[in-house]
C-alpha cells in the first residue's frame, strides 16, 4: 500500500510499504478515504522537534473498517468511521471522567500512519466513531466536516469545554489557525454570546466570522490585550481559548481574562509559561489533549450530520496522497488554513 | 486605641494609636471582638517577604459595627459582623461572577489593621457579613467558628470550589495547616466521599480526620505521590486542593491527579511552578484569593450557625491582643495550628 513517510525536515515521500495487519485483539484495519495535515505536525516538519526518519505520518482520517480484532464488537468490517487521533478504552478512570485523550490503557506512540491507504488503529472497540451509511452517501463538503471530527474540531471544542464556556458568555479565542477557528464553533455551540477572535489574517478572520466570531482583534501583543479589555469595559472576558501554544499566547490569555475566568488551552506548549500572575486574578489554566471520541459521540457528530456546524471549511486546499509534500508545504507557508488529503474515492 | 504593629521580622508590638475614622462614604468602623493570625503572615514575620516598619497587622476578625459611611446601607451600627480580608463591591464583573476576592473596585492595600481595637473597613456595604444577634449570644466555640469565616474557612473552601469537587469524588488535600484542614471541611461540604490528607503532624492529622479526612498520607515527596496513586489504583484523585504554595507542592498536585482533574490552589505561590506536565494530563490549575463574602453568604455562615461544621477547632492556642508577639511566635514555631487573638470581651 501507499503511505506518507517522513524523511527529513521539510521532506515527506509516498512509498509502497506492507499493508498493516491485525496484531492485537483490540486492533482494527481501516481503509482510509480522507486524511489531512495538522498544525501540530509543523513542529517536526520544520525540524523544531525531532521525528524518526522513515516514520509514518498523519493522525486524522475517516475511512471504512476492513478487519477487526477478536475483541472489537462495537464496529465491524464495512462500517464507515471517524478514526480519532486518540485511542480511549472507554472504561478506565480517565475515559469514564470524559478524558479519553488521556486514556490510561492506550498503547504509546500509536497515533500515526493515518496518511496512508490503510491504518492499523489500536484500541478500536470504543475509540472509533461510527458514521451512518457509507462515504458515497455524503457530499465532499460533508466528508470534510466529518474528517474534522478526528481531531481539529474536537480540539477546538476542547478549548471551549476546558474554558467552561457558558450560555451568554463573552469569550476570546487566541489563534486563527484551524484549531482556533474550530474553537469559535465550539464556543458558539456552548452558547457564547460574544466571541472575540484574535486574528492577523483577513481570510481566517472572515472564516471566523462565518463560524460565529462577533469581534475581530487584529493587533498583536499589548495592543491586542488593550483592545480586548476595551471591548469588555476593562474587566476581561469570561473565558479564553488559547489555540497557539506559544508562551506569549498563554500569558496573554491571563491578561485578557476577567477574575475567575478559565483559560482553555489546546496549543501544545513549547516552553513553561508563568502561571502565578493567573493566581492573583483567580484565573484557571486548563486543557490538553481533546476527548475526541467523547465529544464526537456526545454532540459533534450529531451537529455535523444535522448540518448545524461546518468545520470542514477549514480545508482551503486539497491534495491527493501522492502530493503529501505539497500538502505540508501549503500549511508551512500558510497558503492553506488546513490541507485536505484525498486518499481514495469516496 | 491599642493596635498590633510590625516593627521588624520576628517582632510585633502593641501600641496606642489614633482610633480610625470614616474617610469615605463606603467605610465602616468596626469594634473588633476576636482576631487571629494567618499562616500567610509568616512570610513577612520571618522576613522572607517585605513589610513596612510601623504598619498595622492582621486581616481576619469579627466585631460590631460602630459607625458607617453615608453610602453603607446593608449594615448599621450595632450589627455583629464578619470582617473578611476581602472587600468586594458586589456589583463589578468579578463580584458578579462570584470572585469578590478580586473585586475590580477594591481599594488597594486596605486589608490590614484587624489586630486592633478598631478597624476602618473599606467597601463595607456589601463585603461585611452580618451575623444574627450579638457576640454575647454565642459560646466561645461558636465565636471561633464564626471568626474562621473572615478568611481561613473560606480559603479552604475556595480550594475545594476551585478544584470543582463533586459528590462522590476521591480527593487529596496537600497541606495540614489551618487552610488545608479547612479544605477538608470544604471538600466534605461539596460531597467528596474519600478525602486523602497529606499530613506530617499527628495532631493535625487527627483534626483532619475529625473534619472528614478518610485517609492520611504521612510520607513526603515521591513517596507520598506513590502512596496517593496506590490508594487510587494508579489513576490519581478526582480533585486536588493545594494549600501550601510551595512550587514542589503545586507540581506534586499534578502528579497525584487523574487526567482531567483540577488542582484548586490557595497556597500563595512563591516561585513559578512548571505547568506543562499538567497539560499533557489535561489537569487544570485554578485558584487564588477566596470569595469570602460570597461563600459566607451562600452557605458557610449557615453551616456554622447550624453547627454542621466546626472550623474554629483550628485555633489551638489563644492570646490577648497585648500578647500578639506570642501569637505569631506560636504559629512560627508550629506550637499552634492557628492562634486566636482575644481583642475584647464578647
Amino acid at each position: 500500500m501507499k503511505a506518507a513517510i517522513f524523511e527529513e525536515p521539510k521532506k515527506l515521500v509516498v512509498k509502497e510499504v506492507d499493508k498493516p495487519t491485525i496484531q492485537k485483539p483490540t486492533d482494527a484495519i481501516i481503509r482510509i478515504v480522507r486524511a489531512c495535515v495538522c498544525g501540530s505536525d509543523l513542529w517536526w516538519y520544520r525540524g523544531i522537534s525531532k521525528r524518526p526518519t522513515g516514520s509514518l505520518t498523519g493522525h486524522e482520517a475517516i475511512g471504512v473498517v476492513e478487519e477487526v480484532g477478536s475483541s472489537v464488537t462495537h464496529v465491524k468490517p464495512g462500517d464507515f468511521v471517524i478514526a480519532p487521533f486518540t485511542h480511549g478504552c472507554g472504561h478506565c478512570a480517565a475515559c469514564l471522567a470524559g478524558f479519553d485523550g488521556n486514556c490510561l490503557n492506550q498503547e504509546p506512540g500509536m497515533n500515526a500512519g493515518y496518511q496512508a491507504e490503510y491504518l492499523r488503529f489500536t484500541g478500536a472497540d470504543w475509540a472509533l466513531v461510527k458514521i451512518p451509511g457509507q462515504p458515497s452517501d455524503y457530499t465532499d463538503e460533508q466528508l470534510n466536516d466529518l474528517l474534522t471530527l478526528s481531531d481539529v474540531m474536537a480540539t477546538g471544542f476542547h478549548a471551549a469545554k476546558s474554558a467552561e464556556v457558558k450560555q451568554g458568555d463573552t469569550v476570546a479565542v487566541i489563534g486563527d489557525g484551524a484549531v482556533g477557528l474550530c474553537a469559535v464553533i465550539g464556543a458558539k455551540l456552548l452558547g457564547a454570546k460574544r466571541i472575540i477572535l484574535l486574528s492577523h489574517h483577513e481570510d481566517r478572520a472572515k472564516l471566523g466570522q462565518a463560524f460565529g466570531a462577533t469581534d475581530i482583534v487584529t493587533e498583536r501583543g499589548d495592543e491586542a490585550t488593550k483592545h480586548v479589555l476595551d471591548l469588555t469595559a476593562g474587566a476581561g472576558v469570561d473565558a479564553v481559548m488559547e489555540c497557539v501554544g506559544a508562551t506569549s499566547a498563554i500569558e496573554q490569555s491571563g491578561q485578557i481574562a476577567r477574575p475567575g475566568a478559565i483559560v482553555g488551552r489546546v496549543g501544545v506548549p513549547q516552553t513553561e509559561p508563568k502561571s502565578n500572575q493567573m493566581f492573583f486574578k483567580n484565573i484557571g489554566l486548563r486543557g490538553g489533549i481533546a476527548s475526541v471520541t467523547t465529544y464526537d459521540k456526545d454532540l459533534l457528530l450529531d451537529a455535523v450530520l444535522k448540518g448545524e456546524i461546518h468545520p470542514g471549511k477549514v480545508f482551503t486546499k486539497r491534495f491527493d496522497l501522492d502530493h503529501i509534500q505539497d500538502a505540508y508545504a501549503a500549511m508551512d507557508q500558510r497558503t492553506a488554513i488546513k490541507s485536505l488529503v484525498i486518499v481514495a474515492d469516496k
Side-chain angles (χ1 to χ4, degrees), chain A residues 43 48 174-175 198 221-222 225 240-256 263 265-278 285:
Chain A
W43 292 109
I48 297 166
I174 299 185
L198 280 71
D222 290 347
T225 299
V240 182
M241 282 143 279
E242 192 285 304
C243 305
V244 178
T247 294
S248 59
I250 298 169
E251 293 178 1
Q252 180 178 48
S253 299
Q255 292 156 10
I256 63 174
V263 175
R265 60 163 169 162
V266 292
V268 179
Q270 297 306 306
T271 58
E272 287 288 347
K274 289 184 179 158
S275 58
N276 286 347
Q277 60 149 346
M278 297 191 190
L285 183 60

Side-chain angles (χ1 to χ4, degrees), chain A residues 44-63:
Chain A
W44 54 259
Y45 179 80
R46 290 170 176 165
I48 297 166
S49 63
K50 294 277 170 219
R51 187 182 189 95
T53 296
S55 58
L56 299 183
T57 59
H59 58 255
E60 301 160 275
I62 50 174

